[in-house]
Amino acid sequence: MLLLAVAFIVTFVLLLYMVSPLISPKPLKLPGAHVVVTGGSSGIGKCIAIECYKQGAFITLIARDENKLLQTKKEIEKYCVNDKQVVLCISVDVSKDYEQVENVLKQAQEKLGPVDMLVNCAGTSVTGKFEDIEVNSFERLMAVNYLGSVYPSRAVIATMKERRMGRIVFVSSQAGQLGLFGYTAYSPTKFALRGLAEALQMEVKPYNIYITVAYPPDTDTPGFAEESKTKPLETKLISETSSVCQAEQVARVIVRDAIQGNFNSSVGSDGYMLSILTSGMSPVTSITEGLQQVVCMGIFRIIGLFYLGSFDSIVRRCMMQREKPDSTDKTE
C-alpha cells in the first residue's frame, strides 16, 4: 500500500512537470526589445538595465538626476552587443505629474518603439521609530514608492493590451512581505505594490501581459548605504540575521523571472521561504509552483515563527537596555 502511494505521488509530480510548460507563458525575447527602467541611474535599476542591454535590448532610463543618468548611460553602453542598440535617458520625477510621465513615455516609444518590458524600480526609504518619523515622510514614500510605479504602468498598459504582449515589473522588497521594526513608513508602500500587482495581473493576463513582483533582500546599493546611516539599533540587529546581496545578482534574478513571466521573484533561501509563506491568493505561473506552495507552507510557517520569536526577542532586549539607566536614576 505504501509503495502504491509513493508511486502515485511520483507519477503525479512527473505529470505536473510535463504539463506545467504548456500553461506557462512564452518567454519574452530581449534582443531588440524596448525595456524601460525607472530609477535606472543607480543600484538595482542600473544593474537591471545593464543585464537587459547585455541581452540585446534597447533601454530607456528614467530618473530625476540628469548627470547620474548620463554617467550610467556611458557605463551601460560598454556592454553593447550590436551597433543598433540605443540607451535613451529621460530626466523626470515619476511620482509627481502623471501627464508628464505619460508624455515622456510617448516620446520614448516614438524613438525606440513600443515598450516590451517596464521595470518600476524608482524608490526611496526612511527608517526610524514610528513616532520619530516626520509625517510628510509617510506621504513622500507613498508617492515615490507606490505612485511612482502606478504612473509609468498606467502610461504603457494600453499599448501593451493592443499588442497582446508585455511585461511589467514592480520592485518591492522583503520589507513588503513582512513588517519589520523601523520600517513603518517604508513597508506599507512596498506592501501596496503587491496588491496593485495582483489586481492588475488579473486584468491583463488575457492580453498575454504578465506582472512580476520582485522582493529583493538587503542589497549593496547607494540607497541601502544611505538608509543604514539612520537605522535604529533594533533594525540593524534584525538585519544582521540575513546577508547583504550584490545588486548584479538581484538584477539577474529579476530579469530572468520577468522574461519567464513569473509573478514572484525572490533571491536566496530566505527569499524563497518568504515567497511561499506570503503567496496567499497570488497567481502562479505553473502547476509545479502551486504544488511547492502547498507542500512547503506548513513547515515554512514553523520556521517563520522561530524567526519572529527571534525578532521580538531583539526588540525586547533593546527596550530593556534603554530603560536600565532610567530605573537606576529613580533608585538613586
Side-chain angles (χ1 to χ4, degrees), residues 86-205:
V86 176
V87 179
L88 177 65
C89 293
I90 299 175
S91 176
V92 67
D93 187 335
V94 293
S95 67
K96 284 192 174 180
D97 185 342
Y98 171 69
E99 288 187 3
Q100 188 178 19
V101 173
E102 186 179 37
N103 286 336
V104 297
L105 280 168
K106 281 181 180 177
Q107 293 170 21
Q109 292 185 93
E110 287 171 3
K111 293 179 180 179
L112 301 183
V115 176
D116 296 291
M117 183 162 80
L118 167 66
V119 183
N120 293 291
C121 203
T124 187
S125 176
V126 172
T127 56
K129 291 182 182 178
F130 181 66
E131 66 272 22
D132 294 336
I133 299 174
E134 296 291 337
V135 172
N136 61 8
S137 292
F138 290 88
E139 298 170 353
R140 180 169 62 88
L141 262 64
M142 186 58 76
V144 175
N145 296 348
Y146 178 68
L147 294 179
S149 293
V150 170
Y151 291 167
S153 302
R154 177 69 173 72
V156 303
I157 200 70
T159 304
M160 286 186 174
K161 279 187 172 182
E162 289 172 6
R163 300 175 66 220
R164 295 293 196 274
M165 64 169 291
R167 298 285 191 273
I168 297 177
V169 181
F170 297 107
V171 179
S172 180
S173 164
Q174 285 188 354
Q177 293 174 294
L178 75 161
L180 291 172
F181 190 106
Y183 287 107
T184 52
Y186 178 74
S187 279
T189 67
K190 294 300 187 177
F191 269 87
L193 291 177
R194 161 74 176 270
L196 170 64
E198 286 191 8
L200 184 58
Q201 179 64 97
M202 194 173 290
E203 287 189 23
V204 301
K205 191 175 180 180

Side-chain angles (χ1 to χ4, degrees), residues 1-6:
M1 190 69 179
L2 180 62
L3 287 174
L4 279 174
V6 171

